[in-house]
Amino acid sequence: MGNAGMRGVTPRIDLRDVRFQLPVDLHWTGDDDRITEAINWLTRAGIPLARPSAIQLKIGPLSFYPKSGTLNFDNQARLPERGLVGLRTVLEQATGRSLPPID
């Protein structure tokens, strides 16, 4: 199924299978405030995540770039949702659970 077949459909994420890093390893010197806010919220929400680069957070197959607000699933086009609010929306759809509000 190509990108067109996925439009409007949020893939499921089973959080039990998601690779994660310890929160202490996620915060890097010189981080942008948006990255810090996203890491802190994801940690409070109990969402396992990894940080493959200075600008990217990964939740299973979902990539989030806090500074630009961009979201995409692996090998898929960018999602229309943006920013931390968009991440929360996509994660709620993908996991089927309610997540805490963003401060």
Side-chain angles (χ1 to χ4, degrees):
M1 181 181 301
N3 288 347
M6 291 298 295
R7 238 173 233 146
V9 176
T10 301
R12 298 292 296 166
I13 298 175
D14 186 344
L15 295 175
R16 295 172 297 186
D17 298 331
V18 174
R19 184 175 79 86
F20 70 96
Q21 288 174 240
L22 295 174
V24 70
D25 297 331
L26 295 168
H27 294 281
W28 297 359
T29 302
D31 275 346
D32 183 90
D33 290 343
R34 291 166 284 195
I35 290 179
T36 300
E37 180 184 22
I39 291 168
N40 291 343
W41 178 78
L42 287 161
T43 302
R44 276 194 321 274
I47 303 294
L49 70 144
R51 185 171 183 182
S53 75
I55 62 168
Q56 178 188 19
L57 301 177
K58 254 329 234 170
I59 301 105
L62 179 64
S63 289
F64 178 51
Y65 301 87
K67 195 169 179 180
S68 68
T70 303
L71 293 149
N72 73 283
F73 282 94
D74 292 344
N75 303 313
Q76 300 294 324
R78 249 182 296 168
L79 296 170
E81 294 83 355
R82 304 270 311 184
L84 193 52
V85 171
L87 176 63
R88 180 178 182 258
T89 299
V90 169
L91 284 173
E92 285 186 332
Q93 292 171 354
T95 62
R97 69 185 239 205
S98 294
L99 297 173
I102 297 165
D103 296 336

